[in-house]
Amino acid sequence: MFSTKAWVHQAFEPLAERFGAEITWLEPRLGLETASLAAGHEVVCAFVNDQLDAAVLEKFASLGVKLLAMRCAGFNNVDLKTAARLGIGVVRVPAYSPYAVAEHALGMMLCLNRRYHRSWARLKEGNFSLDGLLGFDMRGKTVGIIGTGRIGQVLCGMLKGFEVKILAYDKFPSAALTETGVEYVELQRLYEESDIVSLHCPLTQETYHIINEYSLAAMKKGVMIINTSRGPLIDTDAVIEGLKAGKVGYLGLDVYEEEKDLFFEDLSDQVIQDDVFVRLLAFPNVLMTAHQAFFTKEAVDNIAETTLENIREFLETGTSKNRVAS
Ligand code: NAD
């Protein structure tokens, strides 16, 4: 098990005996330089920022690895074609708690709007001024949801309580969601009419940089953009230009294009080398968290249980209901 942090240990360890799993805890992130640590293991368990490209998978095949168990929903970092060619099965945890991510996205919207991050910092300095903290009522605003799968749908349900108008875009619209009053529209209209745009689609070739200079140009001045999905959905340079021009009024990111060199590590003693990331930190209207949207007790327990169940099922039957097709 690569990229193991304390929370991974705490979630998996109590279940290991029940599943008859012998786990080797490997703290390093998975990459070509660490892949050989999988020697002697049938199964590799990896996470969102591990590197699972052709070279790493070739290494695994040479070591006799049979299964790659992703302990996350997204699998954009896995070269599925190579895995299939090498006969390495890939399983994932498709749903562990859509509530965790949807609640985090909603939390980011409220925090950015009412500027809790700024007022808390001020308050601790003894500054009780309200200047610069003016928010807006959510009620009556238009929220655009891109991707109405599990997380997007849960977020729509939560937003209904705020009496907002919800516009949605998905390649496969949900009839059930339409019945709740959500209106599916083309992306262009969603961009033009939304006060808040929240991203809940997977990262694919089609969605890479879906937020770019052209989509930003179509949006309302002062729009709020929330990304709790995958960093590369947003062209970071374009959004920085948008922030500088005032086109983007608020930006909430739980994920970042180049996060793999930063997130999940304590780098507080180091000089951050990523100038783009540091530029983002300098905006008062940007709120960032380090890929923590999934991180609730319920979600983590589900991740551990489902991952071990996926592995057992695959080893016993040669496949799994949570197998990822190439
Ligand atoms: P899901 O598969 O249930 O839903 C994804 C939706 O996106 C589907 O309805 C699909 O039709 C739609 N979609 C696919 N391609 C699209 C496109 N080109 N344009 C618009 N819509 C498109 O997935 P989910 O469980 O709702 O998760 C969504 C994403 O959230 C995941 O792919 C993952 O990247 C991300 N995620 C992030 C965290 C976190 O901690 N930040 C945790 C879990 C998931």
Side-chain angles (χ1 to χ4, degrees):
M1 190 168 305
F2 283 87
S3 299
T4 56
K5 301 289 179 199
W7 68 267
V8 181
H9 243 277
Q10 284 155 14
F12 279 82
E13 184 86 77
L15 302 180
E17 196 181 320
R18 170 151 65 85
F19 282 89
E22 282 175 43
I23 302 174
T24 307
W25 309 98
L26 301 168
E27 215 179 301
R29 190 153 63 83
L30 174 58
L32 195 51
E33 60 292 348
T34 55
S36 57
L37 292 169
H41 298 80
E42 289 174 276
V43 183
V44 166
C45 182
F47 198 45
V48 285
N49 287 331
D50 285 318
Q51 179 189 333
L52 290 145
D53 57 12
V56 169
L57 294 169
E58 298 270 5
K59 181 75 195 170
F60 283 168
S62 76
L63 297 172
V65 171
K66 299 273 177 290
L67 176 65
L68 171 62
M70 298 302 294
R71 54 177 190 276
C72 51
F75 48 87
N76 50 282
N77 51 335
V78 184
D79 182 339
L80 292 176
K81 281 204 177 96
T82 303
R85 177 172 60 76
L86 297 169
I88 298 175
V90 180
V91 291
R92 66 169 182 140
V93 186
Y96 40 85
S97 171
Y99 308 100
V101 183
E103 286 168 11
H104 194 79
L106 184 61
M108 289 192 119
M109 286 175 201
L110 298 176
C111 182
L112 277 165
N113 173 11
R114 308 304 299 270
R115 301 165 208 269
Y116 299 142
H117 54 310
R118 297 192 67 200
S119 59
W120 177 231
R122 272 186 197 187
L123 197 114
K124 286 195 287 186
E125 292 288 321
N127 176 354
F128 308 112
S129 148
L130 297 182
D131 290 345
L133 302 182
L134 189 68
F136 58 82
D137 283 6
M138 293 280 282
R139 183 175 182 277
K141 297 297 181 295
T142 300
V143 183
I145 306 288
I146 301 180
T148 54
R150 297 174 189 90
I151 295 168
Q153 291 200 29
V154 167
L155 181 60
C156 288
M158 292 171 179
L159 283 167
K160 282 191 70 184
F162 288 84
E163 298 182 42
V164 295
K165 176 177 176 185
I166 304 177
L167 299 179
Y169 173 78
D170 195 298
K171 279 181 81 176
F172 305 99
S174 151
L177 198 61
T178 308
E179 278 169 26
T180 69
V182 172
E183 186 184 353
Y184 280 98
V185 294
E186 287 307 312
L187 268 181
Q188 182 70 16
R189 197 179 139 206
L190 184 148
Y191 292 146
E192 286 170 4
E193 295 184 17
S194 297
D195 300 289
I196 300 173
V197 174
S198 196
L199 303 173
H200 301 285
C201 54
L203 174 62
T204 62
Q205 280 179 353
E206 243 176 313
T207 60
Y208 175 79
H209 281 186
I210 189 168
I211 303 301
N212 55 42
E213 63 173 303
Y214 303 106
S215 43
L216 287 168
M219 291 183 201
K220 282 187 173 177
K221 187 169 168 56
V223 65
M224 180 188 294
I225 300 174
I226 305 288
N227 186 8
T228 57
S229 257
R230 284 293 179 266
L233 295 179
I234 294 184
D235 177 344
T236 314
D237 291 336
V239 90
I240 285 175
E241 288 310 312
L243 283 158
K244 284 162 76 175
K247 181 81 180 186
V248 178
Y250 314 77
L251 178 66
L253 300 178
D254 183 53
V255 287
Y256 165 63
E257 269 196 288
E258 304 300 332
E259 70 177 47
K260 66 179 180 352
D261 295 326
L262 300 169
F263 287 4
F264 306 136
E265 302 303 326
D266 178 358
L267 304 179
S268 50
D269 283 337
Q270 295 184 28
V271 174
I272 303 284
Q273 299 296 325
D274 183 334
D275 292 346
V276 176
F277 181 78
V278 175
R279 182 69 186 95
L280 281 173
L281 294 182
F283 290 102
N285 49 353
V286 172
L287 177 69
M288 293 179 78
T289 48
H291 209 136
Q292 73 172 75
F294 74 97
F295 200 49
T296 65
K297 170 89 175 85
E298 291 78 2
V300 164
D301 286 349
N302 276 337
I303 286 174
E305 179 91 29
T306 308
T307 301
L308 291 170
E309 185 54 43
N310 287 345
I311 294 170
R312 171 158 67 189
E313 193 186 7
F314 189 94
L315 294 180
E316 281 177 8
T317 69
T319 190
S320 159
K321 62 180 175 309
N322 291 326
R323 188 169 190 170
V324 186
S326 60

